[in-house]
Amino acid sequence: MGLRAGLLVWRGAVQAARRCTRLFAPPATCVSARPRHLHACAASPFSSLGHGGPHDVGGLPELLKSEIFKEEPATAFWERQAHSLLGVLSAKGLITVDELRRVVESLHPDQYARLSYYEKWLSAMATMLHEQNILTTQELEAALGPRQAPEAPAFSVGDPVRVHAEELITRWRKPHLRTPGYLFGCVGEVVEYCGAFDDPEIHAFCREAPKMPVYKVRFHQHHVWRDYEGPASDTVEVQVFQSWLQGTSEADLAAAQHEAQSAAAAAGASNGTDSHVNHSHSHGHDRSRDHSHGHDEEHNHGTRAEIEAAAVDKEPQPCQGELFAQGLLQALYKKGIVTPAEVQEAVEQLDTMGYNMEGPRIVARSWVDNDFRDLLSKDAVAAAAQLGIQTSNPTSTTLLTAVINTEHVHNVVVCTLCSCYPVSILGLSPPWYKSRSYRARVVRTPRVVLKEFGFDVPNDVEVRVHDSTADHRYIVIPARPAGTEGWSEEELAPLVTRDSMIGVSPAISPLH
């Protein structure tokens, strides 16, 4: 299911949003409706972990052993466009960051886990714009491309077919599916054409739906269920809409039959029926991949034009996020909601954030000016303004708070619910800061996480974790390195790293 199929999932967003208060209001006996003092966790001290949804990862046990990947690939242009678009729409009063969070948090758990950070943003922005009738379904379809219903049946009785695997990563709202998940990737045989019916994926959202051919497809039980206990001849027949089917080879169908026979024989449950198909090679097929039994590509002896065309086909293609970003932007441009110039200006501003030494300048000044340091600890916004630094984030109004490391306290910052971060001071946050692993672990096992970053905090120093869950954005003021006595602000600033202002490392020491 590609990007076009993904367009279906946000249909009906307005109706769903209007129903959410009624559907999710807690009953009188629900735990969440009780007074706070009755929330006793007698059964487990961790019973409320993850209570808020898939985004609420702080302290989750299943993530405490997960690795924090510290690689930092460059942020793609489409990702910076997505970030900038939120700022432009927010400045126009069309959407808010809290609305964005609400929609992101309502994603299907599989989507939330698999969509990239900015794909979640794009999903949420499309849904919000549709909810508020800023962009209609037709306008989004015109930009992203509606799924085209086939004009005529594509398969006949006896044809081998494979069921598509549903890829939630291409969806930005939970879809209505009428194809059971246990069939994803399975190979079967068309045994009957059932006629054409309203496409349920569209019809479920109260739209006039195109007609879609439906087929009865027969699958061998042992091919579908690896632990099936009946004979190899047992089958299951399922009605499947044509959009979920793709043609495959007789060899693939024979492989599925052979797999069923082998599994039945291994289980000692074969009924003795000899339906073996002569098929000499290995059948270690991966259901998740569509495949054929053609010649290896290395034996391609086509013309030069054919070889060059094949090479072009192998070049990296735009990812789903990039395609969606461009489609959403084009829909907004066409309607005049935003202009290309506005988005480009926002991208350019975003690209400069963190590169003008805003954070290091604040830290360096605090190291040499005690009065500034005192003001910084009380009112970081006013202190930064003395240096001509604007501290509020571009996507929403935020308040900067400085937390100062001392010989007795070391501070470290996280946002366990999303990724709140002082972009205007530090630039775009690193991927590891936004990762589920960092967000889950640093709030619960901060010393272990800091050691993984190469920073071993002595036990006689308090580690103070700051969970940035509201409109505060934190900057850690690291301790001034030894050996820098007499240094100027200009000399000190290069010692201040982004990671030291998050709190996962100290400032650079000139002695090492």
Side-chain angles (χ1 to χ4, degrees), residues 201-218:
E201 295 185 31
I202 297 178
H203 211 224
F205 295 103
C206 303
R207 285 178 46 80
E208 182 179 348
K211 299 294 183 181
M212 180 73 67
V214 177
Y215 306 87
K216 184 180 289 184
V217 184
R218 179 178 297 156

Side-chain angles (χ1 to χ4, degrees), residues 284-474:
H285 297 285
D286 181 352
R287 287 185 181 180
S288 66
R289 297 182 181 273
D290 302 329
H291 59 276
S292 65
H293 291 259
H295 293 291
D296 193 292
E297 292 181 1
E298 292 180 1
H299 299 293
N300 183 355
H301 301 292
T303 65
R304 178 173 180 177
E306 291 171 336
I307 294 172
E308 289 177 349
V312 170
D313 289 340
K314 293 180 180 179
E315 292 179 355
Q317 299 299 311
C319 67
Q320 292 287 351
E322 181 177 358
L323 293 172
F324 185 38
Q326 296 310 311
L328 182 58
L329 284 168
Q330 290 304 316
L332 292 168
Y333 294 159
K334 184 175 182 179
K335 198 168 183 180
I337 305 300
V338 301
T339 67
E342 287 173 327
V343 175
Q344 182 58 33
E345 181 181 359
V347 170
E348 292 173 358
Q349 291 176 350
L350 183 67
D351 287 346
T352 64
M353 291 179 181
Y355 289 93
N356 293 325
M357 300 291 286
E358 292 95 339
R361 286 166 53 205
I362 292 172
V363 174
R365 174 64 65 88
S366 75
W367 284 346
V368 301
D369 186 334
N370 289 333
D371 290 338
F372 180 86
R373 185 183 184 89
D374 290 341
L375 176 60
L376 183 65
S377 66
K378 299 172 184 176
D379 187 344
V381 175
Q386 290 186 359
L387 302 179
I389 296 174
Q390 208 280 334
T391 59
S392 182
N393 277 0
T395 54
S396 63
T397 301
T398 56
L399 181 64
L400 184 68
T401 298
V403 287
I404 300 176
N405 287 347
T406 69
E407 59 181 332
H408 302 295
V409 177
H410 175 80
N411 298 280
V412 61
V413 180
V414 65
C415 175
T416 59
L417 294 179
C418 50
S419 58
C420 298
Y421 186 83
V423 174
S424 59
I425 300 297
L426 304 185
L428 290 174
S429 56
W432 56 260
Y433 182 87
K434 297 175 285 206
S435 72
R436 287 166 58 86
S437 297
Y438 178 80
R439 290 158 51 204
R441 294 179 56 200
V442 76
V443 74
R444 187 167 174 181
T445 57
R447 292 180 181 271
V448 175
V449 171
L450 292 175
K451 281 184 180 180
E452 292 179 12
F453 278 87
F455 191 14
D456 193 358
V457 180
N459 287 334
D460 61 352
V461 175
E462 174 193 346
V463 172
R464 187 172 296 167
V465 180
H466 300 268
D467 193 352
S468 180
T469 59
D471 293 322
H472 280 253
R473 299 294 180 268
Y474 292 94

Side-chain angles (χ1 to χ4, degrees), residues 10 58 63 88 90 111 129 157 174 191 204-205 207 227 243 260 314 373 386 420 427 455 478:
W10 50 260
L63 293 174
V88 173
S90 177
Q111 288 176 285
L129 292 166
V157 172
K174 186 179 184 296
V191 295
F205 295 103
R207 285 178 46 80
D227 58 352
S243 59
K314 293 180 180 179
R373 185 183 184 89
Q386 290 186 359
C420 298
F455 191 14

